[in-house]
Amino acid sequence: MELNAAIPSGPIEKRWDNHRFEMKLVNPANKRKLSVIVVGSGLAGASASATMAELGYDVRCFCYHDSPRRAHSIAAQGGINAAKNYQNDGDSVFRLFYDTVKGGDFRARESNVYRLAQISVSIIDQCVAQGVPFAREYGGMLANRSFGGAQVSRTFYARGQTGQQLLLGAYQALARQIELGGVKMFPRHEMLDVILVDGRCRGIVTRDMVDGTVRSYTADAVVLATGGYSNAFYLSTNAKACNVSAAWRAHRRGAGFANPCYTQIHPTCIPQSGDYQSKLTLMSESLRNDGRIWVPKKADDNRPAAQIPEGDRDYYLERIYPSFGNLSPRDIASRRAKEVVDEGRGVGPLKNGVYLDFADAIGRLGAPAIGERYGNLFDMYERITGESPYEMPMRIYPAPHYTMGGLWVDYNLMTTIPGLFAIGEANFSDHGANRLGASALMQGLADGYFVIPYTIGNYLARGGLDPVAEDHADCKGVEQQVNDRIQRLLTASGKRTADSFHRELGRIIWDKCGMARNKAGLEEALQKIPALREEFWENVRVPGVGADLNQELERAGRVADFLEQGELMCRDALDRDESCGGHFREEHQTGEGEAARDDERFSHASVWEWTGENQAQRKNVEELTFEYVQPSQRSYK
Amino acid sequence: MRGVLALYQSTIGKKVVMAVTGLMLVGFILGHMAGNLKIYQGAEKYDAYAAGLRELGKPLLGHYQAIWLARLGLLAAVGLHIWSALSLTSASRKARGTGYKKFDDVSMSYASRTMRWGGVILLAFIVYHLLHLTVGTVHREFEYGAVYQNVVLAFQRWPVSVVYIVANLALAMHLYHGIWSMTQTLSLTNNTILRVRRPLAAGIALVVLAGNISIPLSVMLGVISL
Amino acid sequence: MNLTLHVWRQAGPNDKGRFEKYEARDISEHASFLEMLDILNEELVEKGQEPIAFEHDCREGICGSCGMVINGVPHSKQKAITSCQLHMRSFKDGDEIWIEPFRATAFPVLKDLVVDRSAFDRIIQKGGYVSVRTGNAVDANATPIPKTDADAAFDAATCIGCGACVAACPNASAMLFTSAKVSHLGLLPQGQPERYKRVEAMVAQMDQEGFGSCTNHGACQNACPKSISIEYIARMNRDLMKAKLLGSKDD
């Protein structure tokens, strides 16, 4: 596998400009003849589809929801970063770039991150022009807040629903192009494979989720905007349908999968309440501004919170990190919570949480003031748990939230398969080993509005793309394989539901490849997962038929892919014999228990290559070089 | 396409027509009630008021001309009001399609839920009322021009009074939701109107109700007699 | 707790459909309503029966996928929540629960509780956007927007497109949905150039999809998981009247 990142030369601040000038252009009259398939309609997919159609390409966009507006980008709460420096507090493109590279623990590609920081500015302009109702000050200017520990206020937000508002902006742009005929939309279509002709990606095979029709769609290029794989853990803050299948199917056809072990665990989610739990709900990180995190000092202390005297409480973040305390970064806060729960000091009926206590803040400021700040979050918490945070401390626990790993892409966002691009959370490019708050929305829109529309033109302008008919032998071949797999799922006629396998897989990955990982645990996972996969194919039960709306069949197909991809996560975690960002190997920590990177051996992206069913994947390496930000040890003491 | 016809083609346009005709009818109802109350001034003045209505617009207009103009206007308003209601109702039936097995409509006011049946009751009542006290065909002792006497004799029969009282209750409900609804449809929703539209609608409905039913009650209690 | 469920089962758009009775056993009061259905579905699958098809995704009340009529009310009797945010603690042991799909001719049933709400997308496609191409935006702060306007636009923009307004309306009207988008854009300076053209086109599509008319019951705002106000309907009426009676420059 050849990994040419295609990074333009020159000083970093000129690279994107120079590259755009050097890229080949497509004659406007020819754009209509060039077709692009976009899979996914979240921030990245919708913005890319709309923008490419505006440029004149013939775009088809596929999504598995009933409407493109439902993609999981919609659930992002916090905000979107941009180096506007509207607050005059010293922000700049370079500072956003610097913070992102450092926040990613020096495991991202500098050139991509710099471009992201540059483009961030245009994103806000674009969204405002579309009518995105960002928060404003009384003077009518846009409001900003500081988010995720950033020392400047560069986060734009729309109450706690920034993702929703940005997605609706992109969805509206997409709707406009659908009306104008630039985009043909295929809702309720799930992509089940990619089609390669002469080594280039020329289409996809989809299943119509209403009538079950499996068929090919061909194009001159394919863009995957299919999100991340947090649902490998089964329980995560992702929506239920989020899955890795599109990326994984592409991987099996030759697209390198980079850094699958980089996953982000968000520290403030509502703990699991029972085995029936279907997903986890995130509570905004802002709660840590006024809440104090604690657990009982003694293990198995069953007294209610109110009856545990101060002397028996351990405010462990304040104790370990006197200066950052309860506001310690996400990965640190998460890991410490896991430690105390593993010691048996967890709280709640399942002893699987820690307290986030507002009693002091309420005593100091009064309940109304706290209600004003967090009222809607408190209500949301009470709705889910039946407990009022005004009366007893909240219980929180970390949960999988975002995945930094994904399909390897070059500077042009093209995967190792020519003609197959990956944007948004589906690619690996910008966040390194850890993503900063309010950066996911920024990256999705940067890729979709401002990067892919240019770089795809450069690819298409090179030509050599003879039309591929939808009944081409290569299409029929892939269709056959897709149909065979569906049949295999439907005829396994076992005893267990797909979800039961998914839960079991999630438990293994969470235990062995979650917030803290070690060699023995990962090796154990690498034994268990293939065995589980084998059982799945023999013992899964999928009722109904293929030619129908069949939600169990959809689920089973996705679980089957997680059973392969989850193994690769563990393999990558085992191989990366260092700690960095969201990847914490217990063997590699500083004397103070922090992540210890090994830049000598691991300053690279690990790009895994599919070698065949049940074969160990081959690792390829893209070395990372840092010219502008010198790697250093993070410290939050 | 521009203009009233263009507007009328949309469902919202039909609602606007209902609101505007409704507003005209509310005006008429208030005037009608005010006139009715003159009955408390005695037979002579009341009959003179009725006779005066026939000569309204003199000398420009002749005998009965103004009243017929008004009647034509009212007829058109009622006709449009009903026509729009029928067309919207039939569209709404189609829009629901299969109904719910269970449907909990407690979130809606009783007045709003009974608009359609209330309207049907009112239409039936208007026909009866015209035949009864205007044309006189269903009035046993009807005497042309003796308005006071016609009213008093009519309401001395308690079933007739009951019909009028029930119809006015229906009218009050129709007015309550209708007036409120009219502000919404015509988008009369600045902050002041938003604050007062509920009480205003209730107020008008109650005034009309009290004014109108006071007459049969007064007759039955003997406050008004021949 | 144990519950008796009467669930609408319909094999496809052409099937007549019927209620079927199920027993849900040992449900935790902490489970969500959809988790209760998950449990029931897993039992059905294990028995080799087809599970109940229902739509859902984010399970935190923002994606708008889920939606069913539970005991005669879209989503829930509780104010301002979606079906996925309903928890079993609001039921008692032994309760009977009727579960039906959203009912509207414009929302045909695809299977069981899954309905086709693409009519909403088509309404948006007719004009629910600002016609601005990527790249031709001016600086975000070039046009100050009064905070009150931005907030009012945001309140309208919180619509999640779930369709509960249509399901709750006795006329199956989509006025709340349509007016929310018309108002979101109509309240902002960016939305002004196409304001009247937008309202005409969107209302025409709304009528064409076969939604009913508004009779100002207010059932929609009571059912709305985002508590969107019917004041936006009044606003849309005004814009449409202006467009139709006075004409508009953006013809």
Side-chain angles (χ1 to χ4, degrees), chain A residues 249-319:
Chain A
R249 294 281 122 194
H251 173 59
R252 288 174 54 114
R253 297 269 172 211
F257 204 110
N259 304 329
C261 77
Y262 291 166
T263 53
Q264 183 169 74
I265 314 292
H266 196 287
T268 53
C269 302
I270 301 176
Q272 191 178 357
S273 69
D275 292 335
Y276 49 79
Q277 185 105 16
S278 59
K279 75 155 279 173
L280 298 168
T281 303
L282 188 123
M283 299 300 292
S284 169
E285 225 170 349
S286 63
L287 291 166
R288 291 201 279 149
N289 288 330
D290 283 303
R292 295 181 70 195
I293 293 173
W294 64 276
V295 289
K297 277 187 179 161
K298 287 196 306 279
D300 294 316
D301 189 335
N302 291 323
R303 289 175 290 178
Q307 288 172 22
I308 301 177
E310 280 295 315
D312 291 349
R313 299 178 177 190
D314 178 12
Y315 295 89
Y316 56 90
L317 285 177
E318 297 173 22
R319 174 171 56 80

Side-chain angles (χ1 to χ4, degrees), chain A residues 69 74-75 77 159-161 164-165 168 376 380 383, chain C residues 58 60-64 75 78-82 84-85 154-165 176 180 220-230 232:
Chain A
R69 66 182 293 156
I74 205 146
Q77 299 173 1
R159 273 179 231 168
Q161 288 155 248
Q164 182 200 24
Q165 294 308 315
L168 291 181
N376 57 344
M380 179 161 117
R383 215 178 278 143
Chain C
C58 76
E60 48 189 77
I62 194 74
C63 75
H75 293 313
Q78 280 178 55
K79 285 267 172 189
I81 65 170
T82 53
C84 66
Q85 291 175 301
F154 178 87
D155 287 340
T158 55
C159 169
I160 59 174
C162 65
C165 45
L176 192 64
C220 51
Q221 81 179 358
N222 290 326
C224 177
K226 298 292 152 191
S227 298
I228 292 173
S229 162
I230 55 172
Y232 293 115

Side-chain angles (χ1 to χ4, degrees), chain B residues 49-69:
Chain B
Y49 157 72
L53 284 180
R54 290 175 213 126
E55 309 303 329
L56 209 66
K58 250 183 169 176
L60 186 66
L61 298 173
H63 182 65
Y64 259 123
Q65 280 183 349
I67 211 159
W68 270 112
L69 278 174

Side-chain angles (χ1 to χ4, degrees), chain B residues 23-41:
Chain B
L23 187 62
M24 290 163 64
L25 295 170
V26 171
F28 166 75
I29 285 165
L30 284 170
H32 187 13
M33 181 207 67
N36 289 346
L37 293 178
K38 291 189 189 298
I39 199 168
Y40 291 105
Q41 295 177 328

Side-chain angles (χ1 to χ4, degrees), chain A residues 231-234 263 502-517 522 525 529 562-563 565-567 569-570:
Chain A
N231 273 351
F233 293 97
Y234 183 70
T263 53
H502 196 175
R503 274 193 294 271
E504 194 175 334
L505 172 72
R507 177 47 72 183
I508 296 170
I509 300 180
W510 180 238
D511 285 345
K512 308 299 179 195
C513 195
M515 281 179 278
R517 299 138 182 205
L522 290 164
I529 295 172
F562 276 130
L563 282 163
Q565 193 259 349
E567 183 185 348
M569 277 169 77
C570 296

Side-chain angles (χ1 to χ4, degrees), chain A residues 47 50-51 54 64-72 74-77 84 86 121-122 124-142 156 158-161 164-165 168 171-180 185 187-188 210 234 237-242 273 276-282 349 380 382-387 449-450 494-500 503 541-545 548-552 555, chain C residues 11-13 27-32 34-36 38-39 41-60 62-66 78-81 85-87 89 110-111 114-118 120-122 124-163 177 181 184-185 188 190-191 194 226:
Chain A
S47 59
T51 305
E54 284 164 12
Y64 58 63
H65 289 100
D66 65 322
S67 161
R69 66 182 293 156
R70 309 222 191 273
H72 193 56
I74 205 146
Q77 299 173 1
K84 280 284 195 187
Y86 280 158
V121 174
S122 310
I124 303 302
D125 299 341
Q126 177 63 24
C127 294
V128 167
Q130 290 171 338
V132 170
F134 283 120
R136 289 187 179 260
E137 294 164 358
Y138 279 98
M141 297 300 165
L142 290 159
F156 294 78
R159 273 179 231 168
Q161 288 155 248
Q164 182 200 24
Q165 294 308 315
L168 291 181
Y171 160 73
Q172 288 168 201
L174 176 63
R176 176 169 170 257
Q177 288 305 317
I178 293 171
E179 178 67 11
L180 293 172
M185 186 73 215
R188 295 192 194 272
V210 178
Y234 183 70
T237 65
N238 278 193
K240 288 296 288 173
C242 291
S273 69
Y276 49 79
Q277 185 105 16
S278 59
K279 75 155 279 173
L280 298 168
T281 303
L282 188 123
M380 179 161 117
E382 189 174 352
R383 215 178 278 143
I384 292 172
T385 62
E387 297 171 1
Y449 282 131
F450 296 105
K495 294 201 162 44
R496 290 180 61 182
T497 63
D499 264 358
S500 79
R503 274 193 294 271
R541 175 144 209 173
V542 181
V545 294
D548 189 13
L549 195 160
N550 189 337
Q551 294 176 324
E552 272 306 298
R555 215 167 274 145
Chain C
I27 303 296
S28 160
E29 57 164 2
H30 297 298
S32 73
L34 300 190
E35 283 164 355
M36 183 271 293
D38 289 343
I39 293 169
N41 271 345
E42 287 208 59
E43 283 176 25
L44 293 177
V45 172
E46 280 163 5
K47 283 190 257 174
Q49 298 173 19
E50 276 210 55
I52 300 157
F54 64 94
E55 245 166 331
H56 63 92
D57 197 20
C58 76
R59 298 208 175 186
E60 48 189 77
I62 194 74
C63 75
S65 297
C66 68
Q78 280 178 55
K79 285 267 172 189
I81 65 170
Q85 291 175 301
L86 176 64
H87 278 70
R89 69 180 70 86
L110 295 176
K111 187 171 184 175
V114 178
V115 299
D116 178 4
R117 287 167 291 189
S118 54
F120 274 8
D121 289 315
R122 290 189 290 274
I124 300 292
Q125 282 157 23
K126 287 294 166 190
Y129 39 74
V130 173
S131 295
V132 53
R133 276 182 293 112
T134 302
N136 59 14
V138 295
D139 184 86
N141 258 346
T143 312
I145 303 175
K147 184 173 168 25
T148 45
D149 289 354
D151 287 350
F154 178 87
D155 287 340
T158 55
C159 169
I160 59 174
C162 65
F177 169 80
K181 184 52 67 187
H184 158 211
L185 298 174
L188 294 171
Q190 289 82 3
E194 299 166 287
K226 298 292 152 191

